[in-house]
Amino acid sequence: MTPQLLEQLVQEIYELQTLMVTVATGEARIQEKDDEYKQLYMEVNLKLESLQNEGFNVDNPNSFRSLWDWYNYWSAHLSSYALRRQYVQEVYEKVLTPFENTLYKHRANSMSSEELIDDLQRRLGQMIPEPQTSFKFTINSLHPKIIQRCQQQFELGQYDDAIFNAMKTVEEEIRARASAEPTDLGLTH
């Protein structure tokens, strides 16, 4: 597994998610996107199977081989656009998070291909991590969305701004998961 192939896989997963959300929120018709989705789904599935064959502990979390399969699920179980978006985000979260964290670490530290593989295996639960005697905080300890939004301030030592932006990210995620409006600030129901 090279960094370029992992980047490509992540990008293809994002494209699948986009297609799923696009049809589930009425932005496009299934008939217009289903062939594209099926092709992309097969490519992602083959790459995930290839990772399995290389010894990585990763499965394809998406069981919808077509957008019609996805439609049958969302129409029976997910009544709102927000729930559909949330479901699509969560379905790939277990594979995207380790992939993105490994790629971030690779970009930040210029890891070799062997180090990238070791890091990805560890993140996917293949290897037992070394026990820590104490916790050492690094920005890589955070969720990728927080890293993306706060890394620059953190690296510049602007910790107040980094913390503020991190909390804004958490607030936005909570609002999205609760299907709240952007104007719903500090409200309890």
Side-chain angles (χ1 to χ4, degrees):
M1 173 59 55
T2 65
Q4 295 79 17
L5 290 175
L6 191 57
E7 291 268 8
Q8 183 181 13
L9 176 57
V10 167
Q11 183 60 38
E12 289 171 344
I13 290 172
Y14 281 132
E15 289 172 23
L16 273 178
Q17 288 178 306
T18 299
L19 287 169
M20 292 173 77
V21 168
T22 299
V23 297
T25 57
E27 295 175 42
R29 297 180 61 187
I30 293 174
Q31 299 87 327
E32 298 167 356
K33 300 292 183 179
D34 198 38
D35 288 340
E36 179 184 355
Y37 175 87
K38 286 178 187 176
Q39 179 64 36
L40 193 54
Y41 180 90
M42 287 183 356
E43 291 172 20
V44 167
N45 198 51
L46 285 172
K47 288 177 181 168
L48 291 172
E49 286 178 1
S50 177
L51 283 173
Q52 285 176 342
N53 292 337
E54 292 178 30
F56 290 94
N57 182 23
V58 62
D59 291 317
N60 188 347
N62 180 357
S63 62
F64 308 113
R65 295 184 176 274
S66 75
L67 290 174
W68 289 109
D69 293 341
W70 167 226
Y71 167 79
N72 290 332
Y73 181 82
W74 99 60
S75 62
H77 303 288
L78 304 169
S79 59
S80 71
Y81 289 175
L83 287 173
R84 295 170 193 171
R85 283 186 195 96
Q86 179 181 349
Y87 180 88
V88 170
Q89 179 184 352
E90 290 173 355
V91 79
Y92 277 111
E93 191 169 355
K94 287 184 182 177
V95 294
L96 276 176
T97 299
F99 291 170
E100 289 173 329
N101 288 342
T102 293
L103 286 169
Y104 176 80
K105 186 175 178 182
H106 171 73
R107 287 188 293 270
N109 299 328
S110 299
M111 295 187 299
S112 69
S113 292
E114 293 80 20
E115 291 171 318
L116 179 122
I117 289 169
D118 290 344
D119 187 71
L120 185 57
Q121 284 177 327
R122 182 186 58 77
R123 290 181 191 277
L124 291 171
Q126 277 297 103
M127 300 173 70
I128 299 170
E130 295 179 21
Q132 293 182 343
T133 55
S134 66
F135 178 77
K136 180 180 178 187
F137 175 80
T138 66
I139 190 131
N140 294 332
S141 306
L142 301 173
H143 190 278
K145 287 182 181 179
I146 292 176
I147 293 170
Q148 181 181 12
R149 191 159 181 181
C150 306
Q151 180 181 6
Q152 185 176 10
Q153 291 94 3
F154 182 83
E155 290 176 351
L156 293 172
Q158 299 169 346
Y159 300 116
D160 290 342
D161 291 339
I163 292 167
F164 180 75
N165 284 330
M167 293 312 299
K168 283 176 35 180
T169 304
V170 171
E171 177 186 16
E172 290 167 11
E173 186 66 26
I174 290 170
R175 192 178 302 118
R177 290 181 184 219
S179 302
E181 296 296 325
T183 55
D184 293 340
L185 301 173
L187 300 176
T188 59
H189 296 107

